[in-house]
Amino acid sequence: MDKRPIDIQREAAIHIKLPQNYGKIEEMHNIDEHLYAIAEYGIFEIILPDTIDPERTNPEIKPMVKEILNVGFSEPFVSRILGQVFEFSQILPQPALHEMLVIAFNILMSIDQMVETLIDLKEQTVSIIEKIDMHNNFNNSVRVSQISGLEFKSKAFLLEAHKVLKQVLQLLIKASNINNCDNFSKLVKITKNNNVKNIIEAHRKTTLEFIWEIRNAVEHTSDRKFIKINNISISVNNKITPPTWIWSYSSWENKTIKSKDNSSLLDDMDVIISNLLTLTEDALLCLALEKAYEIIPFEIEYKQNSEKCRYKVKYIIPNIKKDH
């Protein structure tokens, strides 16, 4: 049967050009009939005409390009997470892989917001300190500027961190093959997946409990749950102190956990981002182990004696007898 003009049109090669400010396309992946282009400075889904018009009735339909993220592989945190997801493409069914990718995109959206906030606060801090130093060299009086929107931006940062935890919870729920669960404490009690239990145990105090309860302290302040953020200050001997914070929250054992001293707010933000990326990597691996086509010969093992509470991949090597 002769092909219709629209069939020839749809089956011909297409040319799609991204805006120049997104840089070159680093990788393209077709996952469960979704085509993704990952550029240097952005991530896009390319929606082909057949996806919009599968019956091929309208020859005027053109490919669509939908921006997912305005950051791409030039950002280490993007390449770190998406690189891991794409490594699973050979072992996971396409629907499971796409489900994982969508959650990874949601996590990266929040991480991107957190990184942007941290960069902004660091740049403001450096600029203000430079101005204080310059002013002090030429004047007898001291004038201390303040970081604009510090408290609002810091709280927004913590709320985005909580969004990441909720997405990680979804990864671990899927790895547990249960329908739903609203918190990590409940999940660790009902899941039969030891990898899920190990991940929750390893990240519990440093990340899961801390961020989950700090978010409650932000939105539901009380005598036991609060955060206090201090802007840039200068002491009588002209020592400049960057932003600090004090926090208190109620732990999952109903104990009050408090910061001992004024902690460096910006340093702690750095640590929070780093911990969330490590947690995300572990959760993605956990889900991949559960959904893979066949049994993969390694498992996640929590190193209980490690001060950093990190995992290692434990390879299970068959006991093979060798001839000598």
Side-chain angles (χ1 to χ4, degrees), residues 26-41:
E26 299 282 355
E27 293 184 16
M28 292 190 71
H29 296 271
N30 188 3
I31 300 175
D32 199 28
E33 299 184 2
H34 295 262
L35 182 60
Y36 295 101
I38 296 88
E40 290 178 279
Y41 309 110

Side-chain angles (χ1 to χ4, degrees), residues 94-305:
Q94 287 287 296
L97 181 64
H98 189 253
E99 198 171 36
M100 179 187 291
L101 183 61
V102 170
I103 295 177
F105 283 151
N106 290 335
I107 289 172
L108 289 175
M109 288 179 190
S110 290
I111 294 290
D112 181 42
Q113 291 296 316
M114 295 168 68
V115 169
E116 287 293 319
T117 298
L118 182 55
I119 290 173
D120 172 41
L121 297 181
K122 282 185 174 180
E123 288 178 346
Q124 285 196 60
T125 300
V126 170
S127 176
I128 290 171
I129 291 175
E130 287 177 349
K131 289 178 181 178
I132 291 174
D133 288 337
M134 186 179 299
H135 186 81
N136 288 347
N137 289 334
F138 296 98
N139 295 274
N140 293 324
S141 61
V142 177
R143 184 174 61 197
V144 181
S145 300
Q146 300 287 272
I147 295 174
S148 175
L150 177 62
E151 183 167 352
F152 172 80
K153 292 175 181 178
S154 300
K155 289 181 177 179
F157 176 97
L158 296 171
L159 295 180
E160 288 296 333
H162 183 259
K163 289 181 183 179
V164 174
L165 289 194
K166 293 181 74 174
Q167 293 297 317
V168 168
L169 179 61
Q170 292 307 308
L171 290 172
L172 298 180
I173 287 171
K174 293 180 186 301
S176 301
N177 291 311
I178 60 177
N179 292 327
N180 201 7
C181 183
D182 58 6
N183 64 67
F184 292 97
S185 293
K186 187 183 296 183
L187 179 59
V188 79
K189 293 177 182 177
I190 63 177
T191 184
K192 296 180 180 180
N193 188 319
N194 286 330
N195 285 333
V196 171
K197 292 180 179 180
N198 284 339
I199 285 172
I200 294 174
E201 175 63 24
H203 293 275
R204 179 172 177 172
K205 291 186 177 180
T206 58
T207 306
L208 300 179
E209 180 182 281
F210 178 74
I211 294 175
W212 197 277
E213 296 306 326
I214 284 292
R215 172 260 182 183
N216 286 334
V218 170
E219 296 195 328
H220 309 288
T221 302
S222 68
D223 291 340
R224 295 179 64 190
K225 299 185 296 184
F226 64 85
I227 68 169
K228 180 182 178 183
I229 295 170
N230 304 308
N231 218 307
I232 289 178
S233 63
I234 188 166
S235 65
V236 291
N237 59 355
N238 287 351
K239 180 183 177 182
I240 302 169
T241 302
T244 60
W245 69 324
I246 303 171
W247 47 263
S248 174
Y249 64 83
S250 179
S251 74
W252 292 349
E253 290 87 12
N254 201 30
K255 297 178 181 178
T256 300
I257 310 297
K258 296 181 178 181
S259 57
K260 295 181 179 179
D261 302 302
N262 283 349
S263 299
S264 169
L265 177 62
L266 303 187
D267 287 348
D268 287 350
M269 285 181 168
D270 257 328
V271 171
I272 288 171
I273 291 173
S274 177
N275 287 347
L276 285 175
L277 288 172
T278 300
L279 170 63
T280 299
E281 287 177 315
D282 290 343
L284 289 170
L285 175 58
C286 181
L287 181 56
L289 291 173
E290 181 63 29
K291 301 298 182 182
Y293 283 118
E294 57 187 38
I295 297 174
I296 304 174
F298 61 87
E299 62 187 17
I300 300 172
E301 181 184 78
Y302 172 47
K303 296 191 294 184
Q304 295 186 2
N305 296 327

